[in-house]
């Protein structure tokens, strides 16, 4: 069904088809002459050349329409923290004697997602117990500052870099306790 120039069977074609047709007609005229005389074997390469020009110039039918939609991509970065510890050993204490300090410092390393605010607690009542159940008081310091029971040290996450708390301690003077080994196991709790 014929339509407007450049439209075949209701499909639109580019003007390349018309230009290719003209090139083909000119090649035939060169080969045979305007009067129709044969130009020899030059016809075959010329026709082939014209045919290739038509193929190159003809475009495919145009697309009738298209539809688009947006596609949302999202992620939520959540807060996270981890903690590692090294034990603390206090210097030997003489019963009823002067205060004693740290023999081997401990540490608490807190690693939180960058910018995450966190509170570090060291749970416990700050007393050590002997095997017989006798209790002896002690004090702790984090980075040189007194760390009372129940109080938190507030930090802000540095990403992959750990926040280092150097933990030292002491046994207050004048505690008349029996000889023996005393210890405490405190739980580090990081609230974020």
């Amino acid at each position: 069904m014929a339509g407007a120039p450049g439209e075949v069977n209701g499909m639109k074609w580019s003007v390349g088809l018309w230009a290719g047709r003209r090139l083909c007609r000119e090649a035939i005229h060169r080969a045979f002459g305007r009067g129709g005389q044969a130009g020899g074997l030059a016809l075959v390469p010329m026709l082939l050349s014209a045919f290739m020009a038509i193929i190159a110039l003809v475009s495919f039918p145009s697309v009738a329409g298209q539809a688009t939609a947006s596609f949302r991509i999202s992620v939520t970065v959540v807060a996270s923290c981890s903690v590692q510890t090294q034990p603390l050993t206090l210097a030997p204490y003489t019963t009823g004697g002067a205060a004693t300090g740290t023999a081997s410092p401990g540490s608490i390393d807190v690693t939180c997602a960058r910018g995450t605010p966190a509170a570090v607690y060291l749970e416990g009542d700050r007393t050590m117990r002997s095997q017989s159940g006798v209790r002896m008081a002690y004090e702790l310091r984090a980075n040189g500052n007194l760390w009372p029971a129940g109080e938190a040290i507030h930090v802000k996450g540095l990403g992959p870099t750990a926040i280092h708390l150097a933990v030292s301690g002491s046994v207050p003077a004048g505690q008349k306790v029996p000889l023996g080994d005393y210890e405490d196991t405190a739980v580090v709790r990081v609230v974020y």
Side-chain angles (χ1 to χ4, degrees):
M1 162 157 113
E7 189 174 321
V8 178
N9 290 335
M11 299 179 81
K12 292 187 177 179
W13 295 80
S14 74
V15 286
L17 180 62
W18 300 103
R21 188 171 143 223
R22 194 183 77 208
L23 285 173
C24 187
R25 188 181 309 142
E26 287 176 7
I28 291 170
H29 285 176
R30 277 195 302 268
F32 288 100
R34 302 264 177 205
Q37 295 88 6
L41 292 176
L43 174 65
V44 174
M46 293 174 93
L47 283 175
L48 183 59
S49 171
F51 179 72
M52 295 306 283
I54 291 171
I55 296 296
L57 292 174
V58 172
S59 69
F60 291 100
S62 62
V63 178
Q66 64 179 356
T68 61
S70 59
F71 179 67
R72 184 169 177 262
I73 301 167
S74 63
V75 66
T76 301
V77 178
V78 297
S80 63
C81 290
S82 63
V83 62
Q84 292 185 327
T85 63
Q86 291 293 326
L88 164 68
T89 304
L90 300 177
Y93 178 73
T94 302
T95 184
T100 187
T102 302
S104 176
S107 66
I108 299 172
D109 291 309
V110 180
T111 305
C112 293
R114 186 174 300 280
T116 301
V120 183
Y121 294 89
L122 191 59
E123 296 179 343
D125 61 1
R126 302 293 193 268
T127 61
M128 292 181 280
R129 183 183 296 191
S130 69
Q131 290 182 346
S132 62
V134 177
R135 292 185 174 270
M136 179 171 61
Y138 66 93
E139 293 178 343
L140 289 180
R141 288 174 176 74
N143 295 341
N145 299 313
L146 188 63
W147 193 359
E151 291 191 12
I153 295 175
H154 297 278
V155 298
K156 187 171 278 191
L158 300 175
T161 304
I163 299 163
H164 182 75
L165 301 176
V167 182
S168 58
S170 61
V171 176
Q175 298 187 70
K176 296 179 180 178
V177 292
L179 304 179
D181 294 326
Y182 291 75
E183 67 176 39
D184 184 26
T185 301
V187 175
V188 180
R189 183 166 53 98
V190 179
V191 179
Y192 57 92

